Amino acid sequence: MRRIQAGSALSAFGLGFTVPFLYIYVAYTRDLGTTAGGLVIGVFALAALIALPFVGRVIDRRGPKPVVVGASVVASLGALAFGMSTNTVTVMLSAALLGAGTAVAQPALATMIVWATDARGRTRAFAFQFFLQNVGLGIGGLIGGLIVDKSRPSTFTLLFGIESVMFLVLAAIILSVRLTRPAPAPGAMDQGGKPAGLKVLLRDKAMVKLLVLGFILFFAVYGQFESGLSAYGTEAAGIEPSMFGTALAANTAVIGIAQFVILKYVDRYKRTRVIAAVGLIWAVAWAIAGYAGLGATSQAMATAAFISTYALFGLGEAMLAPTVAPLVVDLAPESMVGQYNSAFALVKQLALALGPAIGGPMGAALHAPYIVTFVLFSLAITVLAARLGRMLTPVQNQPSLAAPPSRVVARYEPPVEKVGTAA
């Protein structure tokens, strides 16, 4: 498990090195224009959307290990090609390779965590993965920001080269991991003895509702970080661009601090209640953002309110890490874990693609409707989580209710003496 987590953190570190600077690299460093800079982000997401529908069955049939290794090699080639690309065609091809490789690796890594843990340890394993990925992204972005110089292509070539090496290191680490494949669950195989497909997943009403909930979760917050929220903050609240870095730092700091505190208590509550609480917290966060942009307040108060919004989003993210991903796994039959993880990853990518496209124009021009829309989306999270809770078994909703395995090997029973009566 330690090697899986280390590999996951290294891949996040590599992504943090380059992803924040893709637009600058393409549009300005390679002088391909702002249109190409915008398209490269779209291609990055589109490649993930194309690859993810097929990867789940491969994970379930071949296992997650070869999928992670193959995806890491593809991502490594994409990163290396990115650093040497000088025209629009090679940049787009590189973005496709990098986007597909990184997207495919995620559900496969999640499946490896499932194979390496039991139901009771899964919550902490996924929470720790989320924490390490955030740390990796943050450190990678920080170091990358110190190295890059948009007037010097060689600095970007260095970054992409380091990212390429990080993906190869991930592949090497995963190759060293030995895992035992769980036995298939009854009813999860088709007549040919192969893992059941999409029909089984779509008949799982709880999973379908969780997919809808997941889309709203990622659309309502994660999909707004890149464009909608920053556009709203700039246009409506007059936030200085430099303050967005401070706000993101506050978001990351809250995640880092809250993650381990939350882990001490999250097992005591039903997962759907924790998710419902996230919806309420995010609704408050959006209301504070509304106050920052629409309220008659000083610039200093507006900036403080905006930073608080990002901090509250971070608190919600820390609460989701030990609840949503393990719930996806616990709903899946043993032979369909890869397909369930891939379906959830696909919904996530779709939300992250649509979020900026819809939220960006709204945040820039329709200030009040933008805030109202996402307050309502946040409240919808609470409602959907409450309804999902009624569709789960008690153990699915709160794994701590499962009886721990007995450690008693044998119990000493003193012999019973037969006392006879005197004749």
Side-chain angles (χ1 to χ4, degrees), residues 162-178:
I162 293 172
E163 180 184 29
S164 178
V165 171
M166 288 297 101
F167 281 116
L168 292 179
V169 171
L170 169 62
I173 290 173
I174 296 303
L175 280 172
S176 71
V177 175
R178 293 185 179 181

Side-chain angles (χ1 to χ4, degrees), residues 7-8 30 35-36 63 128 193-194 246 338 376 390 392-393 422:
S8 181
R30 292 302 186 186
T35 300
F128 195 55
K194 297 178 180 179
T246 303
L376 292 177
R390 294 195 287 269
L392 304 177
T393 66

Side-chain angles (χ1 to χ4, degrees), residues 337-386:
V337 171
Q339 292 177 73
Y340 273 57
N341 277 327
S342 295
F344 195 78
L346 177 62
V347 166
K348 175 182 176 181
Q349 287 294 330
L350 185 61
L352 293 179
L354 292 177
I358 295 173
M362 284 187 69
L366 304 172
H367 301 152
Y370 179 70
I371 293 297
V372 171
T373 296
F374 286 98
V375 168
L376 292 177
F377 267 117
S378 299
L379 294 176
I381 292 169
T382 300
V383 174
L384 284 172

